[in-house]
Amino acid sequence: MTQKYEVIQTDIAVIGSGGAGLFAVLKAKELRADLDITLISKGAIGRSGCTRMVQGGFNAVLNEEDSIEKHFLDTLSGGKYLNDQELAWTLVNDAPKVIHDLEVKYGCFFDRDDTGRIKQKAFAGQSFDRTVHKGDLTGIEIMSRLREQLFRVEPRELEDVRALDLIMSKEGSISGVSCLDVRTGEFIFVNAKCVIVATGGAATMYKIAAPAREKTGDGVAMCLRAGLKVRDMEMLQFHPTGLLAGESRMTGAVLEEGLRGAGAFLKNASGERFMSRYDSERMERSTRDVVARASYTEIMSGRGTKGGGIYIDISHLGKDEVQRRFPGMVERTRLIGSDLSTGPVEVSPTSHFAMGGVEIGIDCETSIPGLYVAGEDSGGTHGANRLGGNGVAESTVFGSRAGMACARAIDQFELNKPDEELLQKSFARVAYFVQSEGNESPFTLTNSLKETMWENFGVVRNEKKIASAETDLLELRSRLKRINVPKNQVFNVALNEALDLENQVEVALSMVRSGALRKETRGSHSRYDYEEADDENWLKFISYQLGDGENYLIETTPVQFTRVVPR
Ligand SMILES: Cc1cc2nc3c(=O)[nH]c(=O)nc-3n(C[C@H](O)[C@H](O)[C@H](O)COP(=O)(O)OP(=O)(O)OC[C@H]3O[C@@H](n4cnc5c(N)ncnc54)[C@H](O)[C@@H]3O)c2cc1C
């Protein structure tokens, strides 16, 4: 059946309203105030996604004793040299400019020291204290100010509208984005000259997970369906200190890295500071991959807490000091019946950030002219492990570059007519779920997805577990065809769950297949069966691309050491 849809014509369609999406809008408008921009957001604009959840802060070189080169080397060393060095270099170079924009143009006010300079704090894996922050609620400061700026530049805002697919013209050029208006259930086609994908990646497919729930790999899945290559998909970061709060939705919520930077201890159930056995030099200030693996090993070796975690303890700094420096986290722990300012809090590794994503160039361009990808949806910047503080820097730096690149190139692009067949195929995915008379609940399937990813493709993996994960995912993909949801499209939570799940399964498959291929331990990809990094064979990144039907292509490419060769 042919579906009816509304058409919106625009110069630039930006998908996602986190740090990357909002910076893209603001910077495109700064260069070309005459542009018509449409901002499509599945969640509330400026209040959804993870940029708002940023607690710790933003890495930028602002001090004369620090340097861009040091930040660059820290980023490569943290990423175990799997990074695209040009992306990493762009990140560290542009980060100070973004901090300047945030303060001077957009009105953010970060914490200052007694001399009035921006105060920068310690984060793990860094050779200099360079993390700019606003207490432990940095993301709220950034996103609130960016949201205010939107009222000035006035893009067309499509809120509670989920992007479904990237739509090409018959000639294969970008034509726009198919969408479902979640509130009305109606279909929309945003016909655009340029599209920027910034939906924030897909680290939510785990039983214990930190990111905003509406992030379900939609952007990456859309790009995969459009034929783009993704890279480093096996590199999923587990933050070492996610809250454990039983069945509560607070389980997985992050206690940020600034705690370890400020001297917090990690202890097992016997009260031992176990990091001395894993990284005696850096102890708790070791990088996330090392700390998450150490915590997981403690738990799996029976030295964990009853709730299946370990403890973080910063109470030795004194109640008032902890309260003053980390008010957000103190409040969060009190909500679940413990108190960070007076004693240890039970935590576990939690799925946190996708280093993998769509292959891009330094202006976020992709292999499809007019299509750009920015922020956590892109891959390459962080290599095998992201440093704390480099995430929000990435989304704002590259969102900014994507917006400017579109504005500069816009006159080369035109509004292409969509391939009607592709558009109808996209709407038919939604209609299929609504009409399906199957017996599967999308919520049960989501739980199965989270369970298998946690058990089989979690903090530490091996061949057998990875193979089980792939089998489970393929089974989930076929069970999705027998889904049953209420028979309408208006604010249909179950339908949206099914659409989320479809994307998550596709992205998860790219993760486990890439993980099966990488036979070594590097950064966030930890294997019991290949415990060491194998630089001789594996200083390569893995690209994954969908083929015809259920086929896929996977290949390795040696990392280009364009600036620094690892010793
Ligand atoms: C708890 C937590 C704490 C963090 N703390 C830090 C920190 O201290 N420092 C740091 O550097 N990084 C931190 N990070 C990482 C950082 O938040 C991310 O790297 C970054 O914010 C991602 O920005 P983004 O713009 O790519 O995506 P997000 O900010 O996540 O935005 C994604 C947007 O896409 C929208 N969207 C999703 N799917 C669709 C769709 N189908 N259609 C339309 N819209 C869609 C969402 O509604 C949302 O608006 C933290 C992450 C978490 C989870």
Side-chain angles (χ1 to χ4, degrees):
M1 190 179 108
T2 306
Q3 302 292 336
K4 290 201 180 107
Y5 58 90
E6 177 193 345
V7 180
I8 293 173
Q9 293 193 323
T10 191
D11 291 317
I12 304 175
V14 177
I15 313 174
S17 68
L22 296 198
F23 254 90
V25 172
L26 293 173
K27 285 290 171 175
K29 278 284 195 184
E30 194 175 300
L31 277 194
R32 287 277 305 264
D34 60 315
L35 290 180
D36 183 284
I37 300 185
T38 302
L39 179 60
I40 306 163
S41 184
K42 188 178 176 185
I45 290 180
R47 299 183 79 87
S48 55
C50 289
T51 311
R52 198 176 174 86
M53 296 167 89
V54 165
Q55 301 168 14
F58 187 128
N59 295 342
V61 174
L62 303 178
N63 190 301
E64 48 284 3
E65 285 171 34
D66 194 9
S67 72
I68 298 289
E69 287 75 12
K70 279 189 198 165
H71 188 185
F72 180 58
L73 287 177
D74 289 345
T75 301
L76 296 190
S77 158
K80 306 293 181 273
Y81 283 88
L82 206 64
N83 321 57
D84 176 320
Q85 296 198 355
E86 294 312 305
L87 292 178
W89 181 252
T90 306
L91 172 83
V92 299
N93 247 297
D94 283 11
K97 298 177 208 160
V98 169
I99 289 291
H100 181 269
D101 276 354
L102 282 170
E103 279 225 331
V104 176
K105 285 193 185 147
Y106 306 144
C108 286
F109 197 76
F110 298 114
D111 284 0
R112 313 229 148 217
D113 63 19
D114 294 341
T115 67
R117 288 179 71 135
I118 289 183
K119 191 169 173 187
Q120 292 179 277
K121 68 180 173 187
F123 250 30
Q126 298 198 45
S127 57
F128 193 87
D129 296 352
R130 65 169 72 91
T131 308
V132 177
H133 57 283
K134 170 91 178 177
D136 60 357
L137 300 168
T138 312
I140 292 181
E141 175 70 3
I142 294 175
M143 290 305 289
S144 303
R145 301 293 83 75
L146 293 180
R147 178 65 179 110
E148 285 161 9
Q149 293 298 316
L150 286 193
F151 295 120
R152 178 174 59 80
V153 301
E154 295 187 319
R156 180 181 299 101
E157 295 183 359
L158 303 184
E159 193 171 64
D160 284 337
V161 171
R162 67 178 299 149
L164 297 167
D165 281 298
L166 299 165
I167 304 296
M168 305 294 146
S169 68
K170 275 209 154 55
E171 295 72 36
S173 308
I174 190 78
S175 169
V177 190
S178 58
C179 305
L180 171 69
D181 185 327
V182 175
R183 294 180 202 166
T184 64
E186 276 158 23
F187 290 124
I188 304 171
F189 174 58
V190 180
N191 188 198
K193 294 179 187 169
C194 279
V195 176
I196 300 175
V197 178
T199 72
T204 42
M205 56 193 61
Y206 285 84
K207 193 170 70 180
I208 302 181
R213 306 283 154 151
E214 80 276 5
K215 301 214 301 185
T216 48
D218 299 358
V220 175
M222 277 183 247
C223 289
L224 276 169
R225 286 193 289 268
L228 291 184
K229 283 185 183 173
V230 293
R231 62 172 283 176
D232 304 331
M233 293 306 289
E234 70 282 21
M235 298 301 175
L236 190 283
Q237 180 172 78
F238 289 85
H239 194 293
T241 53
L243 278 178
L244 274 184
E247 294 297 304
S248 152
R249 292 290 289 264
M250 294 283 279
T251 286
V254 160
L255 292 185
E256 60 112 333
E257 195 143 299
L259 288 181
R260 288 186 288 124
F265 300 147
L266 292 177
K267 296 176 182 169
N268 58 23
S270 328
E272 181 203 4
R273 277 181 73 194
F274 58 83
M275 280 309 296
S276 58
R277 275 185 277 119
Y278 302 93
D279 185 347
S280 57
E281 206 176 305
R282 294 184 294 181
M283 294 291 286
E284 285 86 355
R285 282 182 68 172
S286 189
T287 47
R288 286 178 183 174
D289 52 336
V290 177
V291 183
R293 194 158 53 234
S295 307
Y296 186 76
T297 308
E298 290 298 298
I299 298 163
M300 298 317 278
S301 311
R303 294 190 288 275
T305 61
K306 276 198 193 128
I310 44 112
Y311 292 115
I312 188 162
D313 191 355
I314 195 165
S315 56
H316 50 275
L317 294 195
K319 185 176 176 183
D320 292 346
E321 180 68 1
V322 178
Q323 172 72 52
R324 187 183 66 76
R325 289 171 69 177
F326 305 108
M329 280 185 285
V330 171
E331 192 182 330
R332 208 164 308 133
T333 54
R334 285 184 186 149
L335 283 174
I336 59 158
S338 46
D339 189 338
L340 187 68
S341 66
T342 55
V345 174
E346 212 175 348
V347 291
S348 151
T350 179
S351 155
H352 184 60
F353 182 89
M355 271 75 69
V358 181
E359 292 187 22
I360 58 164
I362 60 167
D363 281 323
C364 305
E365 69 277 19
T366 66
S367 53
I368 299 178
L371 178 61
Y372 298 75
V373 177
E376 206 176 324
D377 278 340
S378 67
T381 306
H382 310 288
N385 178 51
R386 171 177 74 82
L387 290 187
N390 271 359
V392 62
E394 177 195 37
S395 59
T396 50
V397 160
F398 288 101
S400 192
R401 292 183 78 89
M404 289 193 289
C406 278
R408 280 195 299 264
I410 198 83
D411 294 332
Q412 298 166 22
F413 300 115
E414 32 186 74
L415 272 183
N416 294 305
K417 270 183 75 171
D419 178 338
E420 195 62 32
E421 208 177 308
L422 284 182
L423 193 52
Q424 286 298 330
K425 203 169 140 197
S426 170
F427 296 143
R429 283 200 300 119
V430 180
Y432 174 86
F433 284 139
V434 176
Q435 285 152 17
S436 163
E437 296 290 350
N439 55 0
E440 296 281 7
S441 149
F443 303 107
T444 310
L445 297 192
T446 299
N447 286 342
S448 304
L449 168 75
K450 291 180 179 217
E451 200 64 47
T452 189
M453 289 303 278
W454 184 257
E455 288 304 322
N456 297 318
F457 203 69
V459 182
V460 189
R461 305 137 186 193
N462 65 24
E463 191 164 338
K464 201 166 150 216
K465 279 172 173 271
I466 298 174
S468 305
E470 185 177 5
T471 308
D472 289 352
L473 290 170
L474 290 173
E475 193 191 322
L476 280 173
R477 187 150 83 176
S478 66
R479 287 174 70 188
L480 252 168
K481 296 189 179 126
R482 302 192 297 275
I483 214 89
N484 195 335
V485 302
K487 306 284 170 250
N488 69 73
Q489 290 182 190
V490 182
F491 244 127
N492 186 335
V493 178
L495 168 64
N496 279 283
E497 183 79 14
L499 291 166
D500 288 346
L501 186 62
E502 193 175 32
N503 287 337
Q504 281 179 312
V505 169
E506 216 46 68
V507 175
L509 275 167
S510 71
M511 293 163 65
V512 301
R513 285 166 172 166
S514 304
L517 194 58
R518 183 174 291 284
K519 294 187 172 40
E520 64 157 356
T521 286
R522 181 177 300 274
S524 303
H525 181 61
S526 262
R527 293 188 57 149
Y528 291 120
D529 44 356
Y530 299 94
E531 284 190 327
E532 301 297 325
D534 174 1
D535 282 352
E536 208 169 302
N537 296 303
W538 275 108
L539 274 172
K540 293 175 183 160
F541 66 89
I542 298 172
S543 297
Y544 177 93
Q545 190 180 22
L546 290 184
D548 294 336
E550 297 196 346
N551 295 333
Y552 63 94
L553 310 167
I554 194 161
E555 62 184 10
T556 60
T557 310
V559 176
Q560 298 296 308
F561 302 118
T562 50
R563 289 173 189 268
V564 176
V565 179
R567 264 181 279 164

